Amino acid sequence: MLSYATTTHDIQITVRPIYLDGQTNILERAFSFAYAVFIENQGEDDIQLLRRRWTIHESDGTLHDAEGDVELRAQPVLSPGEEHIYDGACTISSFSGSVEGNYLVQRSDGKQYRVDIPTFPLQAAAN
């Protein structure tokens, strides 16, 4: 399984997408994918995940602002060296696309900043 990773402000984000062949309906042009997002605090301060912004680009030019800038259901606090895993899924109408985004995090001193989610591809039959 391919991984895509980036580090911003000592926060490493790694994404592992997978094509869900069994949940895809080619005749209805509904291509399903799942992904796991690993967030690791490599810094020296506690951080809290607050919000996520997610954008899906389909190969046919369609753009989805997936839920906009939304508050996360769980807002975990990560101490230095800790990791948190989010999982999710999406369905697109193209054979391929890509996803990009960021998280809004807050340090224990109250400072907030964005950390990048690495851009990762969605490719039907890519397993």
Side-chain angles (χ1 to χ4, degrees):
M1 180 181 308
L2 293 176
S3 295
Y4 303 87
T6 191
T7 302
T8 311
H9 298 289
D10 295 324
I11 310 300
Q12 181 173 341
I13 309 289
T14 303
V15 181
R16 294 187 182 138
I18 188 167
Y19 173 60
L20 300 174
D21 187 45
Q23 296 179 20
T24 290
N25 186 327
I26 294 173
L27 297 177
E28 292 187 19
R29 299 194 56 80
F31 301 93
S32 296
F33 300 87
Y35 48 84
V37 181
F38 301 82
I39 302 122
E40 182 182 359
N41 182 0
Q42 298 177 337
E44 297 178 4
D45 297 307
D46 288 352
I47 61 153
Q48 183 174 20
L49 299 171
L50 301 175
R51 301 178 76 83
R52 180 198 75 196
R53 182 163 194 88
W54 206 248
T55 305
I56 301 170
H57 302 266
E58 294 196 41
S59 61
D60 67 1
T62 303
L63 182 68
H64 305 278
D65 190 10
E67 301 179 40
D69 193 10
V70 296
E71 188 171 307
L72 297 170
R73 293 183 309 269
Q75 294 185 327
V77 174
L78 302 177
S79 296
E82 288 187 333
E83 180 179 68
H84 182 76
I85 302 170
Y86 274 109
D87 58 5
C90 65
T91 300
I92 62 175
S93 60
S94 299
F95 282 97
S96 63
S98 64
V99 179
E100 63 183 24
N102 59 60
Y103 286 105
L104 177 65
V105 301
Q106 180 172 293
R107 285 193 327 214
S108 55
D109 65 5
K111 181 179 179 182
Q112 294 183 356
Y113 51 91
R114 298 275 177 176
V115 294
D116 294 329
I117 297 168
T119 300
F120 62 93
L122 302 175
Q123 182 65 48
N127 291 341

